[in-house]
Amino acid sequence: MRARSVESETGVGEDGPGQSLMASFAQMERVVLSMQDPDQGVNMRSQRLLVTVVPHAVTGNDIMEWLIHKYSISEEEALHLGTLLLRHGYLYPLQDPGSLVLRPDETLYRFQTPYFWMSTLWPAAELDYAVYLAKKNIRKRGALGDLEKEHHGQLHRKMNHMWDLVVMQAREQLRAAKQRRKGDRLVIACQEQTYWLVNRPLPGVPNVLEQGPERGSCTARRVLMVRTLHACIECCRRALGRTRVKSSVSLEAYLKFSNQHRPHDPIMSGCLPSNPWITDDDTYWAMNAPRVAEPTQLRVQRWAFSFQELLEDPVGRAHFMDFLRNEFSAENLSFWEACEQLRHGGQAQVPGLVDAVYQQFLAPGAAHWVNIDSQTMERTLEGLQQPHRYVLDAAQLHIYMLMKKDSYPRFLKSDMYKTLLAEAVIPPETKRRVFPFMWKPRRSSPSPALLPASASGERAAAPGGLGGGPGEA
């Protein structure tokens, strides 16, 4: 049903998981009260069922027409809403009490007594259910359904000590029912059966007391489901066509990475010349400072791992700048550094930095003009109308890829890099340990002069006893 239209009529919303069920019951009960209104409700009148006259009955057609007119909903939604009222016991059928489904025809229905409404939370005790089954068993002379027979037998075994009381109450209720009219007896029987179908649902039927009402299917939900299924199918199709990497290739790449970085790991290969974490010697920190005159050999080797490693090292970036000056392309690295300063600078400085970078590197006739393709320049110029710290990211990425693919490989093959690698500082070699922080200095043996006299005598006698005399030899 259209939850918005019904909620506007009832004025009840769902506040949380604990109150949502009671809120749904309150909404349905307000609908039922509106249907029973003498002036604007459903037309209730006495209906003839075979030879029995049933008072205050309504037909399925009347219920459908009233719901459509009252809430301006479609026939499908009205049928779903009427079925919800039946499944929750607010209406009960008179011709087929076992089917809690609204039929849009001349099938007769009646409104349930408010005493049995769901919001009352009246407990459906096993004793009451046993009395109901016993009364039905007596009235039908044992002709119960399979499920009712099973429940009847289970309750008989469970309540064997008080089964006589159950049968006595069932007989008293049957005796009192014989004094009523036939139409009233039919109404009470259908009313009781509907109540127990709601509180003791059949196997496979959802329990409305635990799950609450379910939303009816509508066109929007079906369209959304179809789109979701198409998206899932497309995702699975892309997953099947995705290039997979063999485990052998992945392991080979992992081993290559491990072997490449192992000598540069101070934990796995040790620190040269000494470990500053376990000694007082800070030479390691001094030799690997951010800016040093002569870098170590391991540090220069790391520049060849990746272009990012080279840019992250201030010493490596300075040598790369010298190489680019020799090739007359130092403006590329200067532009990249200016973009990094813009990205990580203060917010108040962003407009000034953007204008300075544009005038120095991108404007026509700039002093250090950089070569950027036309599409990237158009996107950058559009972003400059409202400058922000990420407005030059596209241009920076273009220059970065240009240096990575062109200038960086030539730097690694240049004589400058080879000379740096050959003249790099090599710390004095020491014994490397796998885990140097676990190393403990060995303690020397105590001096014999510090031993007690008895121990010294034993040590002195031991060589004679062990070696023996000349005769024993």
Side-chain angles (χ1 to χ4, degrees):
M1 66 178 176
R2 294 183 182 176
R4 186 174 300 175
S5 61
V6 177
E7 287 181 2
S8 63
E9 292 288 340
T10 57
V12 179
E14 296 183 359
D15 299 327
Q19 300 178 358
S20 60
L21 198 58
M22 295 302 298
S24 302
F25 294 159
Q27 291 178 10
M28 289 186 284
E29 289 168 8
R30 288 180 182 270
V31 173
V32 172
L33 290 176
S34 300
M35 296 173 71
Q36 294 180 355
D37 187 84
D39 300 327
Q40 301 179 356
V42 184
N43 185 17
M44 292 183 291
R45 57 187 181 272
S46 298
Q47 301 281 354
R48 183 176 295 276
L49 185 61
L50 296 179
V51 295
T52 306
V53 178
V54 181
H56 306 292
V58 294
T59 62
N61 282 330
D62 293 338
I63 296 175
M64 288 278 296
E65 292 176 1
W66 187 89
L67 291 174
I68 294 173
H69 176 74
K70 178 68 175 178
Y71 298 110
S72 301
I73 56 180
S74 63
E75 293 184 1
E76 181 183 1
E77 293 170 332
L79 183 63
H80 176 70
L81 177 55
T83 303
L84 282 180
L85 296 176
L86 274 166
R87 289 180 178 176
H88 287 76
Y90 294 105
L91 289 169
Y92 58 90
L94 296 174
Q95 292 171 287
D96 189 6
S99 177
L100 300 182
V101 178
L102 181 65
R103 298 178 182 178
D105 51 20
E106 297 300 322
T107 305
L108 298 181
Y109 300 90
R110 272 179 61 96
F111 291 99
Q112 182 67 282
T113 305
Y115 178 81
F116 295 108
W117 281 3
M118 308 299 294
S119 61
T120 59
L121 298 178
W122 187 259
E126 291 186 348
L127 179 60
D128 298 333
Y129 190 43
V131 173
Y132 164 74
L133 291 179
K135 181 171 58 176
K136 192 172 182 179
N137 186 48
I138 295 172
R139 186 174 64 247
K140 292 191 173 184
R141 299 179 181 179
L144 296 176
D146 295 336
L147 183 63
E148 290 179 338
K149 282 184 179 179
E150 181 180 354
H151 289 172
H152 184 272
Q154 292 177 356
L155 291 173
H156 192 182
R157 291 189 297 270
K158 187 175 182 179
M159 307 172 66
N160 189 27
H161 61 287
M162 55 183 304
W163 193 251
D164 293 339
L165 176 63
V166 172
V167 175
M168 183 179 66
Q169 288 188 6
R171 293 183 185 278
E172 288 294 331
Q173 291 184 14
L174 287 175
R175 189 177 299 109
K178 289 182 180 180
Q179 300 176 4
R180 298 188 180 96
R181 294 186 304 109
K182 187 176 181 180
D184 295 339
R185 293 201 299 269
L186 175 63
V187 167
I188 292 175
C190 296
Q191 193 178 36
E192 285 185 336
Q193 184 169 355
T194 302
Y195 174 78
W196 289 113
L197 282 176
V198 173
N199 288 273
R200 293 288 191 276
L202 300 174
V205 178
N207 191 345
V208 296
L209 296 177
E210 297 178 357
Q211 301 180 6
E214 58 180 1
R215 295 289 181 183
S217 59
C218 57
T219 306
R221 288 187 61 190
R222 286 197 294 269
V223 171
L224 180 61
M225 184 180 298
V226 171
R227 291 179 180 175
T228 305
L229 291 176
H230 281 305
C232 292
I233 293 173
E234 185 64 24
C235 181
C236 295
R237 190 172 297 166
R238 289 197 301 267
L240 291 175
R242 189 180 301 132
T243 305
R244 304 291 179 179
V245 180
K246 294 183 178 180
S247 58
S248 58
V249 178
S250 302
L251 292 174
E252 184 179 357
Y254 176 73
L255 290 175
K256 181 180 179 181
F257 178 86
S258 301
N259 294 331
Q260 186 183 34
H261 288 77
R262 181 187 180 91
H264 304 268
D265 192 333
I267 295 180
M268 301 302 296
S269 301
C271 301
L272 297 178
S274 60
N275 192 336
W277 285 280
I278 61 176
T279 64
D280 295 334
D281 188 3
D282 59 350
T283 309
Y284 178 81
W285 300 125
M287 297 179 66
N288 292 276
R291 296 187 181 275
V292 292
E294 296 181 358
T296 62
Q297 189 179 50
L298 291 177
R299 187 170 181 175
V300 178
Q301 290 176 357
R302 288 187 67 90
W303 299 346
F305 288 176
S306 66
F307 185 49
Q308 191 65 28
E309 287 278 355
L310 176 64
L311 293 182
E312 289 178 355
D313 191 342
V315 178
R317 192 191 305 174
H319 287 288
F320 185 59
M321 177 67 79
D322 296 338
F323 171 78
L324 293 179
R325 287 195 185 99
N326 296 334
E327 293 199 340
F328 305 99
S329 58
E331 64 275 1
N332 291 336
L333 184 56
S334 299
F335 175 73
W336 183 87
E337 290 178 342
C339 292
E340 286 293 305
Q341 183 181 0
L342 170 64
R343 179 182 295 182
H344 302 287
Q347 183 63 32
Q349 305 172 358
V350 168
L353 288 175
V354 170
D355 184 66
V357 173
Y358 174 74
Q359 296 297 335
Q360 186 178 1
F361 298 99
L362 300 177
H368 304 283
W369 186 78
V370 292
N371 186 14
I372 296 177
D373 62 280
S374 58
Q375 295 182 356
T376 305
M377 180 63 77
E378 289 178 1
R379 291 200 302 269
T380 303
L381 293 178
E382 291 177 359
L384 289 177
Q385 298 177 1
Q386 296 180 351
H388 52 86
R389 64 175 65 250
Y390 305 107
V391 69
L392 299 175
D393 281 3
Q396 183 188 18
L397 179 61
H398 178 81
I399 295 299
Y400 177 87
M401 297 304 298
L402 182 64
M403 292 189 296
K404 180 180 180 180
K405 294 180 179 180
D406 182 42
S407 302
Y408 176 63
R410 287 189 282 108
F411 170 72
L412 297 180
K413 298 177 182 178
S414 65
D415 296 335
M416 177 184 292
Y417 179 74
K418 294 178 181 178
T419 303
L420 287 172
L421 190 61
E423 297 178 355
V425 177
I426 302 177
E429 188 75 19
T430 58
K431 185 178 181 180
R432 298 184 179 182
R433 308 178 192 278
V434 177
F435 298 104
F437 55 85
M438 298 180 61
W439 175 78
K440 294 183 180 180
R442 296 181 179 178
R443 297 180 181 179
S444 59
S445 301
S447 174
L450 300 178
L451 293 176
S454 60
S456 301
E458 292 178 359
R459 287 181 176 270
L466 291 174
E472 293 179 2

